[in-house]
Coordinates of all heavy atoms in Angstrom, one line a residue:
M1 N 21.6 41.1 -10.7 CA 22.3 39.8 -10.9 C 22.7 39.5 -9.5 O 23.3 40.4 -8.7 CB 23.5 39.8 -11.8 CG 23.2 40.1 -13.2 SD 22.3 38.8 -14.0 CE 23.6 37.7 -14.4
V2 N 22.7 38.3 -9.0 CA 23.1 37.8 -7.8 C 24.0 36.5 -8.0 O 23.4 35.5 -8.5 CB 21.9 37.4 -6.8 CG1 22.5 37.0 -5.5 CG2 21.1 38.7 -6.6
G3 N 25.3 36.6 -7.7 CA 26.1 35.5 -7.9 C 26.1 35.1 -9.3 O 26.2 33.9 -9.7
G4 N 26.0 36.0 -10.3 CA 26.0 35.6 -11.7 C 24.6 35.2 -12.2 O 24.5 34.9 -13.5
L5 N 23.7 35.1 -11.4 CA 22.3 34.7 -11.8 C 21.3 35.8 -11.7 O 21.5 36.8 -11.0 CB 21.8 33.6 -10.8 CG 22.7 32.3 -10.8 CD1 22.2 31.3 -9.7 CD2 22.5 31.6 -12.2
P6 N 20.4 35.8 -12.6 CA 19.3 36.9 -12.6 C 18.7 37.0 -11.3 O 18.3 35.9 -10.7 CB 18.4 36.6 -13.7 CG 19.0 35.5 -14.5 CD 20.0 34.8 -13.7
R7 N 18.3 38.1 -10.7 CA 17.7 38.2 -9.5 C 16.1 38.2 -9.8 O 15.8 39.2 -10.6 CB 18.1 39.4 -8.7 CG 17.4 39.6 -7.4 CD 17.9 40.8 -6.6 NE 17.1 41.0 -5.4 CZ 17.5 41.8 -4.5 NH1 18.7 42.4 -4.5 NH2 16.7 42.0 -3.4
A8 N 15.5 37.4 -9.3 CA 13.9 37.5 -9.3 C 13.3 37.9 -8.1 O 13.8 37.6 -7.1 CB 13.4 36.0 -9.6
A9 N 12.4 38.9 -8.2 CA 11.8 39.4 -7.0 C 10.2 39.5 -7.4 O 9.9 39.9 -8.5 CB 12.4 40.7 -6.7
Y10 N 9.4 39.3 -6.4 CA 8.0 39.7 -6.6 C 7.5 40.2 -5.3 O 8.0 39.8 -4.2 CB 7.3 38.6 -7.2 CG 7.1 37.3 -6.3 CD1 6.0 37.2 -5.5 CD2 8.2 36.4 -6.2 CE1 5.9 36.1 -4.6 CE2 8.1 35.3 -5.4 CZ 6.9 35.1 -4.7 OH 6.7 34.1 -3.8
I11 N 6.4 40.8 -5.3 CA 5.8 41.2 -4.1 C 4.5 40.3 -4.0 O 3.6 40.4 -4.8 CB 5.4 42.7 -4.1 CG1 6.7 43.5 -4.3 CG2 4.6 43.1 -2.8 CD1 6.4 45.0 -4.5
F12 N 4.3 39.8 -2.8 CA 3.1 38.8 -2.6 C 2.1 39.9 -2.0 O 2.2 40.5 -0.9 CB 3.5 37.8 -1.6 CG 2.3 36.8 -1.3 CD1 1.6 36.3 -2.3 CD2 2.0 36.6 0.0 CE1 0.4 35.5 -2.0 CE2 0.9 35.7 0.3 CZ 0.2 35.2 -0.7
M13 N 1.0 39.9 -2.7 CA 0.0 40.8 -2.3 C -1.3 40.0 -2.0 O -2.3 40.0 -2.8 CB -0.4 41.9 -3.3 CG 0.9 42.7 -3.7 SD 1.3 43.9 -2.3 CE 0.2 45.2 -2.6
P14 N -1.5 39.4 -0.9 CA -2.7 38.7 -0.6 C -3.7 39.8 -0.1 O -3.5 40.9 0.0 CB -2.2 37.9 0.7 CG -1.2 38.7 1.3 CD -0.6 39.5 0.2
C15 N -4.9 39.2 0.2 CA -6.0 40.0 0.9 C -5.4 40.4 2.3 O -5.1 39.6 3.1 CB -7.3 39.2 1.0 SG -8.6 40.1 1.9
F16 N -5.6 41.6 2.6 CA -5.1 42.1 4.0 C -6.3 42.0 5.0 O -6.1 42.5 6.1 CB -4.6 43.5 3.9 CG -3.3 43.5 3.1 CD1 -3.3 44.1 1.8 CD2 -2.1 43.0 3.6 CE1 -2.0 44.2 1.0 CE2 -0.9 42.9 2.9 CZ -0.9 43.5 1.7
H17 N -7.5 41.6 4.6 CA -8.7 41.7 5.4 C -8.8 43.0 6.2 O -8.8 43.1 7.4 CB -8.6 40.5 6.4 CG -8.6 39.2 5.7 ND1 -9.7 38.5 5.2 CD2 -7.6 38.4 5.2 CE1 -9.4 37.4 4.5 NE2 -8.2 37.4 4.5
C18 N -8.9 44.0 5.4 CA -8.8 45.4 5.8 C -9.9 45.7 6.9 O -11.0 45.0 6.9 CB -9.1 46.3 4.7 SG -7.9 46.2 3.3
E19 N -9.6 46.6 7.8 CA -10.4 47.0 8.9 C -11.7 47.6 8.2 O -12.8 47.3 8.8 CB -9.7 48.0 9.7 CG -10.6 48.3 11.0 CD -9.8 49.1 12.0 OE1 -8.6 49.4 11.8 OE2 -10.5 49.6 13.0
N20 N -11.5 48.4 7.3 CA -12.7 49.0 6.5 C -12.5 48.7 5.1 O -12.0 49.5 4.3 CB -12.8 50.6 6.8 CG -12.9 50.9 8.2 OD1 -14.0 50.6 8.8 ND2 -12.0 51.6 8.8
P21 N -13.0 47.5 4.7 CA -12.6 46.9 3.3 C -13.4 47.8 2.2 O -14.6 47.8 2.3 CB -13.0 45.5 3.4 CG -14.0 45.4 4.6 CD -13.6 46.5 5.5
W22 N -12.7 48.2 1.3 CA -13.2 48.9 0.0 C -14.0 47.8 -0.6 O -15.1 48.2 -1.3 CB -12.1 49.3 -0.8 CG -11.3 50.5 -0.4 CD1 -11.6 51.9 -0.6 CD2 -10.1 50.5 0.5 NE1 -10.7 52.6 0.1 CE2 -9.7 51.8 0.6 CE3 -9.2 49.5 0.8 CZ2 -8.5 52.2 1.4 CZ3 -8.2 49.8 1.7 CH2 -7.8 51.1 1.9
C23 N -13.6 46.6 -0.8 CA -14.4 45.7 -1.6 C -15.8 45.4 -1.1 O -16.7 45.4 -1.7 CB -13.6 44.3 -1.6 SG -13.2 43.6 0.0
V24 N -15.9 45.4 0.3 CA -17.2 45.1 0.9 C -18.1 46.3 0.6 O -19.3 46.2 0.3 CB -17.1 45.0 2.4 CG1 -18.4 44.8 3.1 CG2 -16.3 43.6 2.7
A25 N -17.5 47.6 0.7 CA -18.3 48.7 0.6 C -18.8 48.9 -0.9 O -19.8 49.4 -1.1 CB -17.4 50.0 0.8
A26 N -18.0 48.4 -1.9 CA -18.3 48.4 -3.3 C -19.2 47.3 -3.8 O -20.0 47.7 -4.8 CB -17.0 48.4 -4.1
C27 N -19.4 46.3 -3.1 CA -20.1 45.2 -3.6 C -21.7 45.5 -3.6 O -22.1 45.8 -2.6 CB -19.9 43.9 -2.8 SG -20.8 42.4 -3.4
P28 N -22.3 45.4 -4.7 CA -23.7 45.8 -4.8 C -24.6 44.8 -4.3 O -25.9 45.1 -4.2 CB -23.9 46.1 -6.3 CG -23.0 45.2 -7.0 CD -21.8 45.1 -6.0
T29 N -24.3 43.6 -4.1 CA -25.2 42.5 -3.7 C -25.0 42.0 -2.3 O -25.8 41.2 -1.8 CB -25.0 41.3 -4.6 OG1 -23.7 40.7 -4.3 CG2 -25.1 41.7 -6.1
G30 N -23.9 42.5 -1.6 CA -23.7 41.9 -0.3 C -23.0 40.7 -0.3 O -22.9 40.0 0.8
A31 N -22.5 40.3 -1.4 CA -21.6 39.1 -1.5 C -20.4 39.2 -0.8 O -19.9 38.1 -0.2 CB -21.5 38.6 -3.0
M32 N -19.7 40.2 -1.0 CA -18.4 40.4 -0.2 C -18.8 40.9 1.1 O -19.4 41.9 1.4 CB -17.6 41.6 -1.0 CG -16.2 41.6 -0.5 SD -15.2 40.1 -1.0 CE -14.8 40.5 -2.7
Q33 N -18.4 40.1 2.1 CA -18.8 40.3 3.4 C -17.6 40.3 4.4 O -16.5 39.7 4.1 CB -19.9 39.2 3.9 CG -21.0 39.2 3.0 CD -21.9 38.0 3.5 OE1 -21.9 37.5 4.6 NE2 -22.7 37.5 2.5
Q34 N -17.7 40.9 5.5 CA -16.7 40.9 6.6 C -17.3 40.3 7.8 O -18.5 40.9 8.4 CB -16.1 42.2 6.9 CG -15.0 42.2 7.8 CD -14.3 43.6 7.9 OE1 -15.0 44.6 7.9 NE2 -13.0 43.6 8.1
R35 N -16.7 39.2 8.4 CA -17.3 38.6 9.6 C -17.0 39.6 10.8 O -15.9 40.1 11.0 CB -16.6 37.4 9.9 CG -16.8 36.3 8.9 CD -16.8 35.0 9.3 NE -15.6 34.5 10.0 CZ -15.3 33.3 10.4 NH1 -16.1 32.2 9.9 NH2 -14.2 32.8 11.0
T36 N -18.1 39.8 11.6 CA -17.9 40.7 12.7 C -17.1 40.1 13.8 O -16.4 40.8 14.6 CB -19.3 41.1 13.3 OG1 -20.0 39.9 13.7 CG2 -20.1 41.9 12.3
S37 N -17.1 38.8 13.9 CA -16.4 38.1 15.0 C -14.8 38.3 14.8 O -14.2 38.3 15.9 CB -16.7 36.6 15.0 OG -16.4 36.0 13.7
D38 N -14.3 38.2 13.7 CA -12.9 38.2 13.6 C -12.3 39.0 12.3 O -11.2 39.1 12.2 CB -12.3 36.8 13.4 CG -13.0 36.0 12.4 OD1 -13.5 36.7 11.4 OD2 -12.8 34.8 12.4
G39 N -13.3 39.7 11.6 CA -12.8 40.6 10.5 C -12.4 39.9 9.2 O -12.0 40.6 8.3
I40 N -12.6 38.6 9.2 CA -12.3 38.0 8.0 C -13.3 38.5 6.8 O -14.4 38.5 7.0 CB -12.4 36.4 8.0 CG1 -11.3 35.9 9.0 CG2 -12.4 35.7 6.8 CD1 -11.4 34.4 9.4
V41 N -12.6 38.7 5.7 CA -13.4 39.1 4.5 C -13.5 38.1 3.5 O -12.5 37.4 3.1 CB -12.7 40.5 3.8 CG1 -13.5 40.8 2.5 CG2 -12.6 41.6 4.9
F42 N -14.7 37.7 3.1 CA -15.0 36.6 2.1 C -16.1 36.8 1.3 O -16.8 37.8 1.3 CB -15.2 35.3 2.9 CG -16.5 35.5 3.8 CD1 -17.6 34.8 3.1 CD2 -16.7 36.1 4.8 CE1 -19.0 34.8 3.8 CE2 -18.1 36.2 5.6 CZ -19.1 35.6 4.9
V43 N -16.1 36.0 0.2 CA -17.2 36.2 -0.8 C -18.2 35.1 -0.5 O -17.9 33.8 -0.6 CB -16.6 36.0 -2.3 CG1 -17.7 36.1 -3.4 CG2 -15.5 37.0 -2.5
D44 N -19.5 35.5 -0.5 CA -20.6 34.5 -0.5 C -20.9 34.1 -2.0 O -21.6 35.0 -2.6 CB -21.7 35.1 0.3 CG -22.9 34.0 0.4 OD1 -23.0 33.1 -0.5 OD2 -23.8 34.3 1.2
H45 N -20.5 33.1 -2.4 CA -20.8 32.8 -3.9 C -22.3 32.6 -4.2 O -22.7 32.6 -5.3 CB -20.0 31.6 -4.3 CG -18.5 31.9 -4.5 ND1 -17.6 31.0 -4.1 CD2 -17.9 33.1 -5.0 CE1 -16.4 31.6 -4.5 NE2 -16.5 32.8 -4.9
N46 N -23.1 32.5 -3.3 CA -24.6 32.4 -3.5 C -25.1 33.7 -3.9 O -26.2 33.9 -4.6 CB -25.3 31.8 -2.4 CG -24.9 30.4 -2.1 OD1 -24.9 29.5 -3.0 ND2 -24.7 30.0 -0.8
L47 N -24.4 34.8 -3.5 CA -24.8 36.3 -3.8 C -24.1 36.8 -4.8 O -24.5 37.9 -5.3 CB -24.8 37.0 -2.4 CG -25.6 36.5 -1.3 CD1 -25.3 37.4 0.0 CD2 -27.1 36.5 -1.6
C48 N -22.9 36.4 -5.1 CA -22.0 37.1 -6.2 C -22.6 36.9 -7.5 O -23.0 35.7 -8.0 CB -20.6 36.4 -6.1 SG -19.5 37.1 -7.4
V49 N -22.8 38.0 -8.2 CA -23.3 38.1 -9.6 C -22.2 38.2 -10.6 O -22.4 38.4 -11.8 CB -24.3 39.1 -9.7 CG1 -25.6 38.7 -9.0 CG2 -23.9 40.5 -9.4
G50 N -21.0 38.2 -10.2 CA -19.7 38.4 -11.1 C -19.7 39.8 -11.7 O -19.1 39.8 -12.9
C51 N -20.1 40.8 -11.1 CA -19.9 42.1 -11.7 C -18.5 42.7 -11.6 O -18.2 43.7 -12.3 CB -20.8 43.0 -10.9 SG -20.3 43.5 -9.3
K52 N -17.6 42.1 -10.9 CA -16.2 42.5 -10.8 C -15.9 43.8 -10.1 O -14.9 44.4 -10.2 CB -15.6 42.4 -12.2 CG -15.7 41.1 -12.9 CD -15.0 41.2 -14.2 CE -15.1 39.8 -14.9 NZ -14.4 39.8 -16.2
T53 N -16.9 44.4 -9.6 CA -16.7 45.8 -8.9 C -15.7 45.7 -7.8 O -14.9 46.6 -7.6 CB -18.2 46.3 -8.4 OG1 -19.1 46.3 -9.4 CG2 -17.9 47.7 -7.8
C54 N -15.7 44.6 -7.1 CA -14.6 44.5 -5.9 C -13.3 44.4 -6.4 O -12.3 44.9 -5.9 CB -15.1 43.2 -5.2 SG -15.2 41.7 -6.1
I55 N -13.2 43.8 -7.7 CA -11.8 43.9 -8.2 C -11.3 45.2 -8.5 O -10.1 45.5 -8.2 CB -11.8 42.9 -9.6 CG1 -12.3 41.6 -9.3 CG2 -10.5 43.1 -10.3 CD1 -12.4 40.8 -10.7
S56 N -12.1 46.1 -9.1 CA -11.7 47.4 -9.2 C -11.5 48.2 -7.9 O -10.7 49.1 -7.8 CB -12.8 48.2 -10.1 OG -13.0 47.6 -11.3
A57 N -12.3 47.9 -6.9 CA -12.3 48.6 -5.7 C -11.0 48.2 -4.8 O -10.6 49.1 -4.0 CB -13.6 48.3 -4.8
C58 N -10.6 47.1 -4.8 CA -9.5 46.7 -3.9 C -8.1 47.3 -4.5 O -7.7 47.1 -5.6 CB -9.3 45.2 -4.0 SG -7.8 44.6 -3.0
P59 N -7.5 48.1 -3.6 CA -6.1 48.7 -4.1 C -5.1 47.7 -4.3 O -4.0 47.8 -4.9 CB -5.8 49.6 -2.9 CG -7.1 49.7 -2.1 CD -7.8 48.5 -2.3
W60 N -5.2 46.5 -3.8 CA -4.1 45.5 -3.7 C -4.3 44.3 -4.7 O -3.5 43.5 -4.8 CB -4.1 44.9 -2.3 CG -4.2 46.0 -1.2 CD1 -5.3 46.1 -0.4 CD2 -3.2 46.9 -1.0 NE1 -5.0 47.2 0.4 CE2 -3.9 47.8 0.1 CE3 -2.0 47.3 -1.5 CZ2 -3.1 48.8 0.6 CZ3 -1.3 48.4 -0.9 CH2 -1.8 49.1 0.1
G61 N -5.4 44.4 -5.5 CA -5.7 43.3 -6.5 C -5.8 42.0 -5.9 O -5.6 40.8 -6.5
A62 N -6.5 41.9 -4.7 CA -6.7 40.7 -4.1 C -7.9 39.9 -4.7 O -7.7 38.7 -5.0 CB -7.0 40.9 -2.6
P63 N -9.0 40.5 -4.9 CA -10.1 39.6 -5.5 C -9.7 39.2 -7.0 O -9.2 40.1 -7.7 CB -11.3 40.5 -5.5 CG -11.0 41.6 -4.6 CD -9.5 41.8 -4.6
Q64 N -9.8 38.0 -7.3 CA -9.4 37.4 -8.6 C -10.8 37.0 -9.3 O -11.6 36.4 -8.7 CB -8.4 36.4 -8.4 CG -7.1 36.8 -7.9 CD -6.3 37.8 -8.7 OE1 -6.1 37.4 -9.8 NE2 -6.0 39.0 -8.2
W65 N -10.8 37.1 -10.8 CA -11.8 36.6 -11.5 C -11.6 35.1 -11.7 O -10.5 34.6 -12.1 CB -11.9 37.4 -12.8 CG -12.9 36.8 -13.7 CD1 -12.9 36.2 -14.9 CD2 -14.4 36.9 -13.4 NE1 -14.1 35.9 -15.4 CE2 -15.1 36.3 -14.5 CE3 -15.2 37.4 -12.4 CZ2 -16.5 36.2 -14.6 CZ3 -16.5 37.2 -12.5 CH2 -17.2 36.7 -13.6
S66 N -12.6 34.3 -11.6 CA -12.6 32.8 -11.9 C -13.5 32.6 -13.1 O -14.7 32.6 -13.0 CB -13.0 32.0 -10.6 OG -13.1 30.7 -11.1
P67 N -12.9 32.4 -14.2 CA -13.7 32.1 -15.4 C -14.4 30.8 -15.3 O -15.5 30.5 -15.8 CB -12.7 32.0 -16.5 CG -11.4 31.9 -15.9 CD -11.5 32.4 -14.5
E68 N -13.9 30.0 -14.4 CA -14.5 28.5 -14.3 C -16.0 28.7 -13.6 O -16.8 28.0 -14.0 CB -13.6 27.6 -13.4 CG -12.3 27.1 -14.1 CD -11.2 28.2 -14.1 OE1 -11.3 29.2 -13.2 OE2 -10.3 28.0 -14.8
I69 N -16.0 29.5 -12.7 CA -17.3 29.7 -12.0 C -17.9 31.0 -12.3 O -19.1 31.1 -11.8 CB -17.1 29.5 -10.5 CG1 -16.2 30.6 -9.8 CG2 -16.5 28.2 -10.2 CD1 -16.2 30.6 -8.4
G70 N -17.4 31.8 -13.0 CA -17.9 33.1 -13.3 C -18.2 34.0 -12.1 O -19.1 34.9 -12.1
K71 N -17.4 33.9 -11.2 CA -17.6 34.8 -10.0 C -16.2 35.1 -9.5 O -15.1 34.6 -9.9 CB -18.3 34.0 -8.8 CG -19.7 33.5 -9.2 CD -20.3 32.6 -8.2 CE -21.6 32.0 -8.6 NZ -22.7 32.9 -8.7
V72 N -16.1 35.9 -8.5 CA -14.8 36.4 -7.9 C -14.5 35.5 -6.7 O -15.2 34.9 -6.0 CB -15.1 37.9 -7.4 CG1 -13.9 38.2 -6.4 CG2 -14.8 38.9 -8.6
V73 N -13.1 35.1 -6.7 CA -12.7 34.4 -5.6 C -11.5 35.3 -4.9 O -10.8 36.0 -5.5 CB -12.1 32.9 -6.1 CG1 -13.2 32.1 -6.7 CG2 -11.0 33.3 -7.2
K74 N -11.3 34.8 -3.7 CA -10.3 35.6 -3.0 C -10.0 34.8 -1.7 O -10.7 33.9 -1.2 CB -10.7 37.0 -2.6 CG -11.8 37.0 -1.5 CD -12.1 38.5 -1.1 CE -11.0 39.0 -0.1 NZ -10.9 38.2 1.1
C75 N -8.9 35.1 -1.1 CA -8.4 34.6 0.2 C -9.6 34.7 1.3 O -10.0 35.9 1.4 CB -7.1 35.1 0.6 SG -6.8 34.8 2.4
D76 N -9.9 33.7 1.9 CA -10.9 33.9 3.0 C -10.2 33.5 4.4 O -11.0 33.1 5.3 CB -12.2 33.1 2.7 CG -12.0 31.5 2.7 OD1 -10.8 31.1 2.9 OD2 -12.9 30.8 2.4
Y77 N -8.9 33.5 4.3 CA -8.2 33.3 5.6 C -8.3 31.8 6.1 O -8.4 31.5 7.3 CB -8.6 34.4 6.7 CG -7.4 34.5 7.8 CD1 -6.4 35.4 7.5 CD2 -7.5 33.9 9.0 CE1 -5.4 35.5 8.4 CE2 -6.5 34.1 9.9 CZ -5.4 34.9 9.6 OH -4.4 35.1 10.6
C78 N -8.8 30.9 5.1 CA -9.2 29.6 5.5 C -10.0 29.5 6.6 O -9.9 28.9 7.7 CB -7.9 28.8 5.8 SG -6.8 28.4 4.4
M79 N -11.1 30.3 6.5 CA -12.0 30.5 7.7 C -12.7 29.2 8.1 O -13.0 29.0 9.3 CB -13.1 31.6 7.4 CG -14.0 31.3 6.3 SD -15.1 32.8 6.1 CE -16.3 32.1 4.9
D80 N -12.9 28.2 7.2 CA -13.4 26.9 7.6 C -12.3 26.2 8.5 O -12.8 25.6 9.5 CB -13.7 26.0 6.4 CG -14.7 26.6 5.5 OD1 -15.5 27.3 6.1 OD2 -14.9 26.2 4.4
R81 N -11.0 26.4 8.3 CA -10.1 25.8 9.2 C -9.9 26.6 10.5 O -9.9 26.0 11.6 CB -8.6 25.8 8.5 CG -8.4 25.0 7.3 CD -7.1 25.2 6.7 NE -6.0 25.0 7.5 CZ -5.4 23.9 8.1 NH1 -5.9 22.7 7.5 NH2 -4.4 23.9 8.9
V82 N -10.1 27.9 10.4 CA -10.0 28.8 11.7 C -11.1 28.4 12.5 O -10.9 28.3 13.7 CB -10.1 30.2 11.2 CG1 -10.4 31.1 12.4 CG2 -8.8 30.7 10.5
D83 N -12.4 28.1 12.0 CA -13.5 27.6 12.8 C -13.4 26.5 13.4 O -14.0 26.1 14.4 CB -14.7 27.7 11.9 CG -15.2 29.1 11.5 OD1 -14.7 30.1 12.1 OD2 -16.0 29.2 10.5
Q84 N -12.3 25.7 12.9 CA -12.0 24.3 13.6 C -10.9 24.4 14.6 O -10.5 23.5 15.1 CB -11.8 23.3 12.6 CG -13.0 23.0 11.6 CD -12.5 22.1 10.5 OE1 -12.1 20.9 10.8 NE2 -12.6 22.5 9.3
G85 N -10.4 25.7 14.8 CA -9.3 25.9 15.6 C -7.9 25.7 15.1 O -6.9 25.5 15.7
L86 N -7.9 25.6 13.7 CA -6.7 25.2 12.9 C -6.2 26.6 12.3 O -6.9 27.5 12.2 CB -7.0 24.3 11.8 CG -7.5 23.0 12.3 CD1 -8.0 22.2 11.0 CD2 -6.5 22.2 13.0
E87 N -4.9 26.6 11.9 CA -4.3 27.8 11.4 C -4.6 27.8 9.9 O -4.9 26.7 9.2 CB -2.7 27.7 11.5 CG -2.3 28.0 13.0 CD -0.9 27.9 13.1 OE1 -0.1 27.0 12.4 OE2 -0.2 28.6 14.0
P88 N -4.5 28.9 9.2 CA -4.7 28.9 7.7 C -3.6 28.1 7.0 O -2.4 27.9 7.6 CB -4.5 30.3 7.4 CG -4.8 31.2 8.6 CD -4.4 30.2 9.7
A89 N -3.9 27.5 5.9 CA -3.0 26.6 5.2 C -1.7 27.2 5.0 O -0.7 26.5 5.1 CB -3.7 26.1 3.9
C90 N -1.7 28.5 4.6 CA -0.4 29.2 4.2 C 0.5 29.3 5.4 O 1.7 29.2 5.3 CB -0.7 30.6 3.6 SG -1.7 31.6 4.7
V91 N -0.2 29.4 6.6 CA 0.7 29.5 7.9 C 1.4 28.2 8.0 O 2.6 28.2 8.5 CB -0.3 29.9 9.0 CG1 0.7 29.9 10.4 CG2 -0.7 31.3 8.9
T92 N 0.7 27.1 7.9 CA 1.2 25.8 8.2 C 2.4 25.5 7.2 O 3.2 24.6 7.6 CB 0.2 24.7 8.1 OG1 -0.3 24.6 6.8 CG2 -1.0 25.1 9.0
T93 N 2.4 26.1 6.0 CA 3.5 25.6 5.0 C 4.5 26.7 4.8 O 5.4 26.5 4.1 CB 2.8 25.3 3.7 OG1 2.1 26.5 3.3 CG2 1.8 24.1 3.8
C94 N 4.4 27.9 5.5 CA 5.3 29.0 5.3 C 6.8 28.5 5.7 O 6.9 28.0 6.9 CB 4.9 30.2 6.0 SG 6.0 31.6 5.7
T95 N 7.7 28.7 4.9 CA 9.0 28.1 5.2 C 9.8 29.1 6.1 O 10.8 28.7 6.6 CB 10.0 28.0 3.9 OG1 9.9 29.2 3.1 CG2 9.4 26.8 3.0
T96 N 9.3 30.3 6.3 CA 10.0 31.2 7.2 C 9.3 31.5 8.6 O 9.6 32.2 9.4 CB 10.3 32.5 6.6 OG1 9.1 33.1 6.2 CG2 11.2 32.4 5.3
T97 N 8.2 30.7 8.8 CA 7.5 30.7 10.1 C 8.5 30.4 11.3 O 9.2 29.3 11.2 CB 6.3 29.7 10.0 OG1 5.5 30.1 9.0 CG2 5.6 29.9 11.4
V98 N 8.4 31.3 12.2 CA 9.3 31.0 13.3 C 8.5 30.3 14.5 O 7.3 30.5 14.6 CB 10.0 32.2 14.0 CG1 11.0 32.8 12.8 CG2 8.9 33.3 14.2
Ligands
LIG1 S1 -10.1 42.3 -1.1 FE1 -8.7 44.2 -0.9 S2 -10.1 45.8 -0.1 FE2 -11.0 43.8 0.3 S3 -10.3 43.4 2.5 FE3 -8.8 42.4 0.9 S4 -7.2 43.7 0.6 FE4 -9.0 44.9 1.6
LIG2 S1 -18.0 40.4 -8.3 FE1 -19.3 39.3 -6.7 S2 -18.3 39.8 -4.7 FE2 -17.4 41.2 -6.4 S3 -18.6 43.2 -6.2 FE3 -19.6 41.8 -7.7 S4 -21.1 40.7 -6.6 FE4 -19.8 41.5 -5.1

């Protein structure tokens, strides 16, 4: 309790874009990839067959199942924005950014 109110806490566990990503090593189709230029880890949905192996491989629970598309989705560090010289969307909206 904080000030008479229940204390709510959670841990935000995004993709860490690991240096040696377990998800990339586990993916059987090459859909989970890491860019050599900057290390961003992303899913190529043209190659993803929805086997969910990457979900089991990631220690952080970053890859998520999307029932709408029948494939895995995850943070791609807003690489489309990064390629335009922009910051990821989360960086632009973070309330504690200094
Ligand atoms: S999905 Fe998990 S294993 Fe893959 S790069 Fe992100 S944090 Fe690392
Ligand atoms: S769900 Fe897609 S990205 Fe994940 S391991 Fe299977 S093919 Fe690779």
Side-chain angles (χ1 to χ4, degrees):
M1 301 288 280
V2 179
L5 299 172
R7 177 175 177 169
Y10 67 93
I11 301 174
F12 181 50
M13 299 290 278
C15 174
F16 294 109
H17 300 276
C18 304
E19 185 173 356
N20 296 299
W22 288 273
C23 59
V24 173
C27 178
T29 68
M32 191 69 79
Q33 301 176 25
Q34 184 171 42
R35 299 208 303 192
T36 55
S37 56
D38 53 19
I40 291 175
V41 177
F42 68 100
V43 181
D44 181 340
H45 285 142
N46 292 317
L47 298 176
C48 179
V49 295
C51 68
K52 304 183 183 178
T53 306
C54 55
I55 295 176
S56 302
C58 174
W60 316 109
Q64 300 289 308
W65 178 247
S66 171
E68 289 81 14
I69 63 173
K71 299 174 189 287
V72 158
V73 295
K74 66 176 285 299
C75 164
D76 65 359
Y77 207 81
C78 288
M79 60 183 188
D80 292 341
R81 288 177 55 84
V82 169
D83 289 344
Q84 297 175 60
L86 302 171
E87 294 178 320
C90 60
V91 174
T92 65
T93 56
C94 179
T95 55
T96 58
T97 300
V98 291

